[in-house]
Amino acid sequence: MAETKSRHPHRAHGREVALLALCHLESYRPEERARALELFWAHVPAESGDGGQELRGWLADPKVVEFARRLLAVSSERAAEIDGAIEATSRSWRLARMDRVDRNVLRLVGAESLGLSETPRAVIVSEAVRLAARYGSERSAPFVNGVAQALAGKLRGEAREES
């Protein structure tokens, strides 16, 4: 796996952990998700090729875990608002029809835009595209880029930049 070039690798890794957790939680009914999240933290999912070694390393860093938990808390607390904003922004794609990775990357964009005002919009979008390229399909990065740009601006009350 490529090492992140971020000035804040704990944030990049925290986003990645949060994405994996959100994808994991989708397999459970809403009333089961708190327990499912406990299972996620207790049993590290393994990626192909490394048996979960890299992820275990990230989870050993308290800064990574704290950042991931912050993102997950905002994602959970403001889920309806975030999902509504994604649907309103994506126009031609309903949330349920989006690829699981794309949908959850966009949820992270929403969570970080609403709950972590210290993160610049450009960083949020760039990290979303990185995650989409790594975990999504070949079409994920361009799709996420377009929606994330507009979504982050909308949730922060910024004027949409026209291309």
Side-chain angles (χ1 to χ4, degrees):
M1 261 180 229
E3 185 63 32
T4 182
K5 292 181 172 50
S6 170
R7 290 185 319 164
H8 302 285
H10 68 277
R11 286 178 165 248
H13 297 152
R15 286 181 193 96
E16 203 151 338
V17 169
L19 174 62
L20 296 173
L22 285 174
C23 289
H24 170 74
L25 292 174
E26 279 199 345
S27 302
Y28 296 87
R29 293 189 301 264
E31 64 273 11
E32 298 173 329
R33 289 187 181 150
R35 177 70 179 126
L37 191 55
E38 289 175 28
L39 290 172
F40 174 85
W41 293 116
H43 304 285
V44 177
E47 282 192 21
S48 60
D50 81 344
Q53 183 177 353
E54 183 175 49
L55 186 54
R56 274 193 294 282
W58 296 345
L59 292 173
D61 182 341
K63 288 182 175 183
V64 170
V65 173
E66 179 203 350
F67 191 70
R69 286 183 186 273
R70 284 177 66 196
L71 287 172
L72 291 167
V74 176
S75 294
S76 174
E77 292 161 7
R78 299 182 79 174
E81 179 182 5
I82 292 168
D83 284 356
I86 293 168
E87 289 228 346
T89 304
S90 65
R91 293 187 205 141
S92 58
W93 284 93
R94 290 189 333 267
L95 205 59
R97 291 198 57 223
M98 289 179 194
D99 177 78
R100 177 174 59 143
V101 169
D102 300 354
R103 175 175 54 242
N104 285 301
V105 167
L106 292 172
R107 285 175 171 150
L108 288 177
V109 169
E112 197 160 2
S113 296
L114 289 170
L116 287 87
S117 61
E118 71 272 14
T119 308
R121 177 178 168 191
V123 171
I124 294 171
V125 173
S126 175
E127 285 292 295
V129 172
R130 180 185 68 81
L131 290 172
R134 178 169 181 178
Y135 290 101
S137 72
E138 60 192 33
R139 296 183 310 265
S140 292
F143 172 75
V144 165
N145 185 46
V147 178
Q149 217 31 282
L151 178 65
K154 178 183 288 188
L155 291 174
R156 290 202 162 169
E158 300 168 1
R160 182 169 178 192
E161 297 172 10
E162 297 298 326
S163 320

